[in-house]
Amino acid sequence: MSAPATRFDALSEWSDRHFKWLLVAPAVLLILALSVYPLLFSVWVLFVNYDFTVPGHGFVGLRNFTRVLADPVARWSLWVTILLSTINVTIEFLLGLALALAMVKSFRGRGLIMSLLIIPLFISPVIVGQAWALLLQRPFGPTNYVLSQILGFEVTIGWLTQAPWNFIALVLADVWQWTPFMFVILLAGLTAIPPNLYEAAELDGVDGWRAFWWITLPQLGPMIMLAITFRILDAVRLFDTIFVMTGGGPGTNTYSSSFYLYTLGFTQFHLSEATAGAWMFLVITAILITFLVRRLLKAEPT
Amino acid sequence: MSLITRANIARTLLLGFFLLFTFVPLYWMFITSIKPSDDYLAVPPVWFPAEPTMLHYTAALFAYRGLDGLINSVIISAAATLLSTVLGTLMAYSLARFNTGGQHLSFWVLSQRFLPPIAIVLPIFLIYRAVGLHDTHFGLIIAYTVFTLPVTVWMMFAYFRQMPKSLEEAALVDGCTRWQSLWRVAIPLAMPGIVAAAVFAFIACWTEFFFALILTSQTAFTLPTVFRAFLGFQGAQYGEASALAMVSLVPSIILGILVQRHLVRGLTLGAVRG
């Protein structure tokens, strides 16, 4: 068996020696090829003309940046992104926390309700947008009819076409889809709080709201940070529901940053300007990530 | 006693309200998918059609190429899931057992998860057009593999870390090579985690819209992108849109509920065990 030191033996010995690097190599190479290389390539695109409406790739200096910076729609879309993600994440957090508190003790049917509550997480945001559009859209959707019946006068709100109702519609869809995200993480946090803390507090006469304020919230703190951080980083990408529900409209009223950059690149074909905008957005996101992740690591989740 | 009942009532009201909120849009979409077109604009709204129809389903699948989108979605999601699970599990094993590349490598992978998609997809689009990968199955498969890798790696990283390594070490002592101890011992032990990671990767690909919108057009388009046909003022294809939505959401909901035990780990990239 051992006599001829065959080439195969040498190979297998080599592969055993470099085992840990061989395991990471394919994944790392793929990420390099499809994430790092495109980003480096786009650095070149930033400073040239890359526009399907203008031929050639001549050097243009900082023109791509100055054009985006001068565009009032760019600023408006950033504002929309900040506004919508703040409102969405706040509502999702409060509702998710309330739901988690309601679900933390076991009761009959808890397992079933758990399965039902998480359903929105597994649906494409495009479909979520479609479902809410169907429900709200005038004149087909039943929302205005039901509101008219309840309020006693005729309601004719253009939920997808009139500000501020279009924003409320977008918030509804986002809250519908992502409240379960907060709920699931916060529930895991609540279940991990040792029950003897509450027992000890009860002996000292602390219960109800005070127990919530002095035990539950501090114990849940790191988990709250984690849930909010993860959610914010996804919330700022807002695109799909806008694409389906309002199409950015009326006009550019509901453009988010992602939606603005998409239209700049793929309906107006100013690809190098869109790339410049995307890089600015990337830098803003990176600052946000650094800030949030620092605080998260300080909070040290379990 | 009265406090307990009050808390119970509050809980029932909250859960009842939220379940209603969750199910009204789904119910209305389902009803719209089986409702004859004549009932669309009826006042008061038709809450349940007297004569349900399957017409919208056949129209959505055939006239609007929903079936092609469905087939593409199955192929692309399955292939990307397979690649992402295999590559991600191998990488996670190396990170968990040998601390390969230290913290830098693992955090570099994690950071990929939080890059804004628009910043990545614009240059990928330009590169794909130049090398002929635009609107191909292969192009979207490798894009989705990279897009799902961070979650797979981090889920499996957490899974391997909580798995005792004594069995793998015993295998090495018995004369196994590193590869054999991985293949024969670690992978079978980690199978429940691998399956859960694979399901989450599949759902992520199945529901993804933005990459597919930009990187495909007439050939490799996936199910979510078919909805473009129903937007704007191109007519009132409410039934077709709803039918297609039902076709798309049923499989992913079933898969999701099957792995709900692992949901917390999936959503937090392994940071929370749940």
Side-chain angles (χ1 to χ4, degrees):
Chain A
M1 191 85 170
S2 59
T6 58
R7 195 176 288 172
F8 179 77
D9 284 341
L11 184 71
S12 80
E13 200 233 14
W14 178 85
S15 86
D16 230 39
R17 213 156 8 96
H18 299 280
F19 181 64
K20 65 174 192 174
W21 291 107
L22 287 171
L23 289 178
V24 296
V28 169
L29 288 176
L30 205 58
I31 296 175
L32 286 175
L34 273 132
S35 175
V36 177
Y37 171 66
L39 278 173
L40 291 176
F41 172 76
S42 74
V43 172
W44 172 70
V45 177
L46 287 177
F47 301 102
V48 300
N49 168 60
Y50 212 124
D51 198 311
F52 286 174
T53 59
V54 186
H57 301 314
F59 181 74
V60 295
L62 293 175
R63 197 191 68 192
N64 293 320
F65 288 97
T66 52
R67 283 214 176 154
V68 174
L69 286 171
D71 189 348
V73 183
R75 267 168 280 151
W76 173 252
S77 71
L78 187 62
W79 166 237
V80 169
T81 308
I82 294 169
L83 181 78
L84 278 177
S85 32
T86 311
I87 295 175
N88 287 341
V89 176
T90 308
I91 298 178
E92 286 154 16
F93 168 67
L94 293 175
L95 256 177
L97 182 61
L99 285 172
L101 287 169
M103 289 285 285
V104 71
K105 289 208 182 96
S106 74
F107 55 89
R108 262 178 53 133
R110 181 173 174 274
L112 176 69
I113 292 179
M114 184 76 197
S115 300
L116 295 176
L117 286 177
I118 58 175
I119 281 178
L121 290 172
F122 309 123
I123 301 178
S124 177
V126 176
I127 294 175
V128 175
Q130 186 79 56
W132 280 96
L134 284 172
L135 209 54
L136 297 170
Q137 203 163 49
R138 212 155 69 98
F140 166 73
T143 307
N144 281 346
Y145 172 81
V146 171
L147 282 179
S148 306
Q149 294 294 309
I150 294 171
L151 297 173
F153 58 87
E154 175 134 24
V155 179
T156 53
I157 295 170
W159 287 94
L160 303 180
T161 50
Q162 276 176 310
W165 307 107
N166 49 2
F167 284 92
I168 294 174
L170 290 170
V171 169
L172 274 172
D174 204 83
V175 165
W176 187 87
Q177 178 147 44
W178 297 115
T179 298
F181 176 91
M182 291 284 190
F183 156 67
V184 166
I185 297 177
L186 295 176
L187 182 62
L190 283 178
T191 348
I193 298 175
N196 56 9
L197 285 181
Y198 293 102
E199 286 154 19
E202 207 168 332
L203 289 178
D204 292 342
V206 176
D207 54 3
W209 278 106
R210 286 197 297 163
F212 174 75
W213 193 254
W214 293 108
I215 301 172
T216 311
L217 274 187
Q219 288 285 317
L220 202 56
M223 210 63 109
I224 292 175
M225 276 300 297
L226 182 101
I228 291 182
T229 301
F230 273 59
R231 188 61 208 113
I232 287 178
L233 294 176
D234 275 348
V236 294
R237 305 168 161 195
L238 191 67
F239 177 86
D240 299 4
T241 45
I242 292 177
F243 189 93
V244 177
M245 292 173 73
T246 65
T252 55
N253 187 245
T254 49
Y255 271 42
S256 67
S257 291
S258 295
F259 194 84
Y260 165 71
L261 295 169
Y262 168 79
T263 51
L264 192 62
F266 296 100
T267 59
Q268 301 171 36
F269 299 117
H270 304 316
L271 286 150
S272 46
E273 282 172 36
T275 308
W279 264 96
M280 290 190 266
F281 189 57
L282 178 70
V283 169
I284 296 172
T285 320
I287 294 170
L288 186 70
I289 291 176
T290 318
F291 173 74
L292 286 173
V293 172
R294 277 247 173 89
R295 302 199 55 173
L296 187 63
L297 290 177
K298 252 184 230 155
E300 277 177 21
T302 45
Chain B
M1 191 64 201
S2 73
L3 191 76
I4 294 168
T5 29
R6 243 196 301 159
N8 269 338
I9 291 170
R11 181 171 68 192
T12 313
L13 277 177
L14 177 72
L15 292 178
F17 164 77
F18 202 81
L19 283 174
L20 191 71
F21 176 64
T22 303
F23 277 91
V24 163
L26 293 177
Y27 176 79
W28 184 248
M29 199 159 62
F30 169 64
I31 287 305
T32 308
S33 77
I34 58 168
K35 191 188 273 190
S37 313
D38 295 342
D39 289 352
Y40 284 167
L41 294 170
V43 178
V46 178
W47 299 105
F48 195 89
E51 292 165 36
T53 168
M54 291 302 280
L55 263 179
H56 304 309
Y57 283 83
T58 49
L61 287 177
F62 301 107
Y64 289 92
R65 301 190 65 193
L67 187 62
D68 294 338
L70 185 72
I71 293 169
N72 284 340
S73 266
V74 170
I75 295 171
I76 290 164
S77 307
T81 300
L82 184 70
L83 267 173
S84 167
T85 311
V86 172
L87 301 189
T89 304
L90 294 181
M91 178 165 196
Y93 183 76
S94 180
L95 294 178
R97 287 290 185 259
F98 307 103
N99 195 21
T100 313
Q103 280 214 329
H104 296 291
L105 187 58
S106 49
F107 274 97
W108 176 69
V109 173
L110 181 65
S111 70
Q112 298 297 314
R113 166 69 180 75
F114 295 118
L115 288 174
I118 183 81
I120 299 292
V121 86
L122 263 160
I124 291 186
F125 168 76
L126 299 177
I127 295 167
Y128 272 17
R129 272 177 52 97
V131 300
L133 278 177
H134 183 252
D135 202 17
T136 61
H137 290 76
F138 179 71
L140 198 57
I141 289 169
I142 52 174
Y144 276 181
T145 306
V146 170
F147 152 80
T148 52
L149 259 178
V151 181
T152 317
V153 169
W154 272 73
M155 270 188 86
M156 289 316 299
F157 179 55
Y159 202 91
F160 282 126
R161 286 254 282 229
Q162 62 166 57
M163 223 169 77
K165 43 177 153 178
S166 50
L167 281 168
E168 293 150 52
E169 280 161 358
L172 288 177
V173 171
D174 285 349
C176 282
T177 62
R178 288 271 180 208
W179 293 96
Q180 284 166 331
S181 82
L182 168 64
W183 181 245
R184 301 228 177 108
V185 181
I187 301 266
L189 281 175
M191 219 17 125
I194 296 177
V195 170
V199 171
F200 284 119
F202 187 88
I203 294 173
C205 300
W206 185 260
T207 57
E208 207 283 335
F209 177 64
F210 193 60
F211 278 61
L213 173 71
I214 291 170
L215 299 181
T216 68
S217 62
Q218 292 304 311
T219 316
F221 62 92
T222 58
L223 198 47
T225 61
V226 181
F227 286 95
R228 278 178 301 171
F230 309 122
L231 299 178
F233 301 99
Q234 299 166 30
Q237 268 71 35
Y238 305 120
E240 284 78 359
S242 305
L244 202 64
M246 297 313 294
V247 172
S248 165
L249 63 77
V250 168
S252 59
I253 289 178
I254 292 174
L255 283 175
I257 288 179
L258 284 179
V259 293
Q260 65 166 303
R261 218 158 41 80
H262 301 267
L263 185 60
V264 181
R265 232 157 35 81
L267 294 179
T268 61
L269 299 109
V272 182
R273 239 191 251 175

